[in-house]
Amino acid sequence: MTHVTSAKSARRPHHWRRDLVELAALFTAVAVADALANMIAHGPDGAFLLVASAVALIATATFHTWWARRHGHAPPASGAGPAPDGPAPVPAERDTSAPGERTLWRMRTTVRDEPGSLAALCGAFAAHRIDILTLQTHPLADGTVDEFLLRAPAALQAKDLTREVSAAGGSSTWIERADTHDLVDTPTRVLGLATRTALDAAELPLSLRQLLGRCTIHSRPAGPATGPAADGAAPVEGVLDGTEMRLRDPNGGTISVERPYLPFTPTEFARARALVELDARLGPRIPRGQDVLTLPEGEEITVRRADGDDLDAALAMHARCSTRTLGLRYHGPVGDADRYLNHLLSPRFGRTLAVQTASGRLVALGHLLWDGDETEVALIVEDAWQRRGIGSELLGRLVSLAVEARCGSVYAVTQASNTGMVATMRDLGLPLDYQIDEGTLVITARLEPAAVRSLPSGH
């Protein structure tokens, strides 16, 4: 960079004291020269004095040059004011924020699509010592939605951030706390969700939820070609309608995604549709891993994932179960139990674990069901295999799956008289909440990763 200094700013200040000193020095030099001339002309040591005077003059000139350079270019004292003709110094900006912890926030706001709009937001963040960790832009027809991941001083509240963004030109601002999972950049996160979806068809609802943030996802089965059910069916290209989007389910029916107060952008709609198309192209798939365990009595059982291919074996297990066992599991007419299995075994609605004996007979099922933005766990164990720890084994595995899916809690619905299910939930060692309504008991377990990791080894 080239610095150009004007003659006015480069000129040194003029002082009358300097003129007086120079005039006195001139008269003194003339007097000394006259005296030396007389001594040289009339004294016996005139030549010696002439040489000595020359040496003294050279030494004095050298000292004067060094002194002038040192004091003429030295920086001004810390208390000195600005030069009369120079610009006033710019004071450094003072950090008014107290040192301490910082908080992660996810924020979205709509700005006008014109130059300087983003710069105004960045200036507002900088004034409050707010770091912008990531930024995404979602173009709209009449503006742009900017999505930020921010790291702000802990003293700043959500209302403070919203107020500053509004003053900088943002509108329709939405903000919520973020966590360390949000530090992953968007392309990496999308690729990870696509990989999870490709490996397991049951991951699609969870991947959509993590892709789009806090939202509710419903899977509606395919209805008749005509009639009310057909009216809500989504076309192949999907439908985007403000805070709701509808996508064609690869297994038939419609996937509906909703979230309050925050409209989906065309960019989010395109990402969700691409994820659903990937799932459709890959077709049905369930990981085939399995674990072989030995019960206290010595029998070996196999725990594995289940899907629609296990429907006949599950129906046969229902036929061997007592009316009481079916009633405790399905909370309704026993005759309706069989028709629930198609829904329960579909990977679109959650994950199902099956327990089978060495002979291949299915003796227990455990379900982890995506219920909107909540998660339900449910168990059924054939009468002859109850009280052997199978229910605890299944529940522990289902809870671990829920933690991996970043669920905050799981709940189980049973009858107040089902002491076995209550004891199994207590064995998890997790914080539990109980709600009883006309004999129906809802037990909610709050999932804490540290507590889940401390489950007994059998889980």
Side-chain angles (χ1 to χ4, degrees), residues 321-341:
C321 289
S322 66
T323 301
R324 170 175 170 78
T325 296
L326 293 175
L328 290 176
R329 166 60 187 89
Y330 295 105
H331 324 297
V334 176
D336 295 337
D338 290 349
R339 65 183 181 89
Y340 293 148
L341 284 176

Side-chain angles (χ1 to χ4, degrees), residues 97-111:
S97 60
E101 296 183 357
R102 300 176 73 80
T103 305
L104 294 175
W105 296 94
R106 289 182 59 199
M107 171 178 281
R108 301 182 67 169
T109 189
T110 303
V111 297

Side-chain angles (χ1 to χ4, degrees), residues 191-342:
L191 286 173
L193 295 176
T195 301
R196 289 177 53 181
T197 303
L199 295 175
D200 189 348
E203 291 287 344
L204 179 61
L206 291 177
S207 297
L208 288 173
R209 185 184 298 177
Q210 294 185 24
L211 175 68
L212 302 171
R214 184 176 300 173
C215 59
T216 301
I217 299 176
H218 297 285
S219 293
R220 297 184 173 90
T226 59
D231 296 338
V236 176
E237 65 275 10
V239 175
L240 175 60
D241 184 13
T243 58
E244 180 184 7
M245 66 172 72
R246 295 191 301 276
L247 303 166
R248 177 70 65 86
D249 192 332
N251 294 335
T254 302
I255 298 176
S256 175
V257 187
E258 303 172 357
R259 67 184 179 196
Y261 313 121
L262 186 63
F264 292 107
T265 65
T267 301
E268 290 176 311
F269 179 63
R271 292 172 181 171
R273 189 170 61 181
L275 201 60
V276 173
E277 289 177 356
L278 171 65
D279 182 83
R281 288 182 178 272
L282 295 176
R285 61 212 175 277
I286 292 292
R288 292 303 175 187
Q290 57 186 26
D291 294 330
V292 178
L293 307 175
T294 302
L295 297 178
E297 294 81 0
E299 298 98 331
E300 287 189 349
I301 59 172
T302 300
V303 182
R304 60 172 177 80
R305 288 284 298 275
D307 59 10
D309 294 338
D310 296 291
L311 178 59
D312 292 338
L315 289 172
M317 184 192 69
H318 274 188
R320 296 190 300 268
C321 289
S322 66
T323 301
R324 170 175 170 78
T325 296
L326 293 175
L328 290 176
R329 166 60 187 89
Y330 295 105
H331 324 297
V334 176
D336 295 337
D338 290 349
R339 65 183 181 89
Y340 293 148
L341 284 176
N342 272 323

Side-chain angles (χ1 to χ4, degrees), residues 240-447:
L240 175 60
D241 184 13
T243 58
E244 180 184 7
M245 66 172 72
R246 295 191 301 276
L247 303 166
R248 177 70 65 86
D249 192 332
N251 294 335
T254 302
I255 298 176
S256 175
V257 187
E258 303 172 357
R259 67 184 179 196
Y261 313 121
L262 186 63
F264 292 107
T265 65
T267 301
E268 290 176 311
F269 179 63
R271 292 172 181 171
R273 189 170 61 181
L275 201 60
V276 173
E277 289 177 356
L278 171 65
D279 182 83
R281 288 182 178 272
L282 295 176
R285 61 212 175 277
I286 292 292
R288 292 303 175 187
Q290 57 186 26
D291 294 330
V292 178
L293 307 175
T294 302
L295 297 178
E297 294 81 0
E299 298 98 331
E300 287 189 349
I301 59 172
T302 300
V303 182
R304 60 172 177 80
R305 288 284 298 275
D307 59 10
D309 294 338
D310 296 291
L311 178 59
D312 292 338
L315 289 172
M317 184 192 69
H318 274 188
R320 296 190 300 268
C321 289
S322 66
T323 301
R324 170 175 170 78
T325 296
L326 293 175
L328 290 176
R329 166 60 187 89
Y330 295 105
H331 324 297
V334 176
D336 295 337
D338 290 349
R339 65 183 181 89
Y340 293 148
L341 284 176
N342 272 323
H343 173 90
L344 295 174
L345 294 174
S346 171
R348 186 65 68 242
F349 301 101
R351 298 175 180 172
T352 299
L353 296 179
V355 175
Q356 66 182 32
T357 63
S359 62
R361 174 180 288 186
L362 201 66
V363 297
L365 290 173
H367 306 285
L368 188 69
L369 304 172
W370 317 133
D371 182 16
D373 54 355
E374 298 180 334
T375 307
E376 180 184 0
V377 290
L379 304 172
I380 182 171
V381 180
E382 187 178 329
D383 295 64
W385 291 84
Q386 294 177 7
R387 307 296 180 181
R388 300 191 186 186
I390 293 178
S392 296
E393 178 69 34
L394 285 176
L395 184 60
R397 290 172 179 263
L398 293 174
V399 168
S400 297
L401 292 175
V403 172
E404 292 176 4
R406 296 173 58 185
C407 300
S409 63
V410 296
Y411 72 92
V413 181
T414 186
Q415 296 180 11
S417 59
N418 191 354
T419 56
M421 186 63 180
V422 174
T424 302
M425 293 290 289
R426 286 179 176 174
D427 287 344
L428 292 173
L430 299 175
L432 301 179
D433 296 326
Y434 300 88
Q435 293 181 346
I436 300 179
D437 184 12
E438 297 182 356
T440 299
L441 175 63
V442 180
I443 308 174
T444 302
R446 297 191 300 276
L447 302 185

